[in-house]
Amino acid sequence: MTRDRVLWLQDAGLAEYRLGNLEEARKYDETALQWALTLPAGVGINQIVNIETNLALLLYEQGQYSAAERYSDAALLAARNSKDDNVVAYARFLQGLLASHQAKDKDATDILMSARQLTTDPDFRSQIENAIAKLYSTRQQPRLAELWYRRSLRTFEDKRSSIKDEALRLSAFSYGDAVYRTTLNYSSTRTGPCRPCNFWIAAAREHWKRV
């Protein structure tokens, strides 16, 4: 019963997050965490890690980095007891995002790279690669940024093309929206030569035509 309630609260929080209602999403996740912490030791560890990481992400996106770091640290500590590589990778991913604001650039890159290596989820790997690309972009390293944006798109497209069921393939397009949008945002800010940009624009048009 408690576990079902935690899942319902997480789903409600995710729905609010997708609508852009970050404060409402946070309230649902905070309540979900309270309930998850009442589960027997070891039973809800993955949920606890995911919820704490979700809360860190919400605060990160609101620019509340110190508060986000507290949840991120708690998630990393709890993740030591998780046997799910994707759960651990998610906690590291958030640590990497925060490190890009609070630590040396190389620290952030190393953390994001370790999360990428750990995850087995192609959609999440594409998201991590996109974050690495954005990190290189902020460092004014366009060649590496373009390399990682291209890699992020390729990871997503490889996953999509491997899906045989047409209905499932169509549902997978939603995961590519953020990847394509951030890549196109980058290409629109480029003032110098950007050979991959035409490829990205054409790929994005094709992507949204099929959504």
Side-chain angles (χ1 to χ4, degrees):
M1 183 68 177
T2 298
R3 198 166 186 177
D4 290 341
R5 181 173 302 204
V6 171
L7 289 171
W8 183 88
L9 288 164
Q10 284 183 274
D11 286 343
L14 178 60
E16 293 293 346
Y17 175 77
R18 287 176 172 169
L19 290 171
N21 302 326
L22 302 189
E23 283 298 328
E24 289 301 314
R26 196 166 119 194
K27 289 177 185 177
Y28 278 115
D29 279 339
E30 286 173 343
T31 305
L33 181 59
Q34 291 174 0
W35 281 99
L37 290 170
T38 67
L39 291 168
V43 172
I45 191 64
N46 289 339
Q47 286 177 296
I48 290 171
V49 175
N50 280 331
I51 296 168
E52 288 174 333
T53 307
N54 287 343
L55 285 164
L57 177 63
L58 288 166
L59 290 162
Y60 168 83
E61 293 191 358
Q62 292 176 305
Q64 300 182 47
Y65 301 123
S66 296
E69 188 173 14
R70 288 194 291 273
Y71 276 114
S72 177
D73 288 345
L76 288 165
L77 183 63
R80 295 178 184 177
N81 297 314
S82 174
K83 296 180 181 179
D84 188 322
D85 286 344
N86 289 312
V87 170
V88 178
Y90 183 36
R92 287 191 190 175
F93 170 66
L94 231 297
Q95 182 190 24
L97 291 183
L98 286 166
S100 69
H101 287 271
Q102 300 172 337
K104 295 179 181 179
D105 282 343
K106 188 176 185 306
D107 292 338
T109 306
D110 289 346
I111 295 167
L112 290 172
M113 291 290 190
S114 72
R116 176 181 178 269
Q117 184 174 11
L118 191 60
T119 186
T120 59
D121 181 344
D123 292 322
F124 185 39
R125 184 179 294 117
S126 179
Q127 184 181 357
I128 296 171
E129 290 167 347
N130 196 260
I132 294 170
K134 285 192 281 188
L135 187 58
Y136 281 123
S137 177
T138 59
R139 292 185 197 167
Q140 303 301 314
Q141 295 180 268
R143 288 187 180 179
L144 285 172
E146 288 165 13
L147 170 69
W148 282 95
Y149 276 125
R150 183 181 282 271
R151 186 169 291 172
S152 175
L153 292 177
R154 177 52 55 199
T155 298
F156 167 73
E157 287 295 342
D158 285 348
K159 158 71 182 297
R160 187 191 62 79
S161 63
S162 70
I163 300 174
K164 304 304 181 184
D165 187 302
E166 188 63 25
L168 293 176
R169 182 180 292 187
L170 287 171
S171 70
F173 284 133
S174 61
Y175 291 103
D177 277 354
V179 171
Y180 276 102
R181 290 183 193 282
T182 54
T183 302
L184 287 176
N185 286 341
Y186 168 76
S187 67
S188 69
T189 63
R190 294 280 285 120
T191 55
C194 178
R195 285 192 298 273
C197 290
N198 289 336
F199 162 78
W200 292 336
I201 292 169
R205 285 175 176 166
E206 183 64 20
H207 165 74
W208 283 309
K209 192 166 65 177
R210 293 174 296 188
V211 172

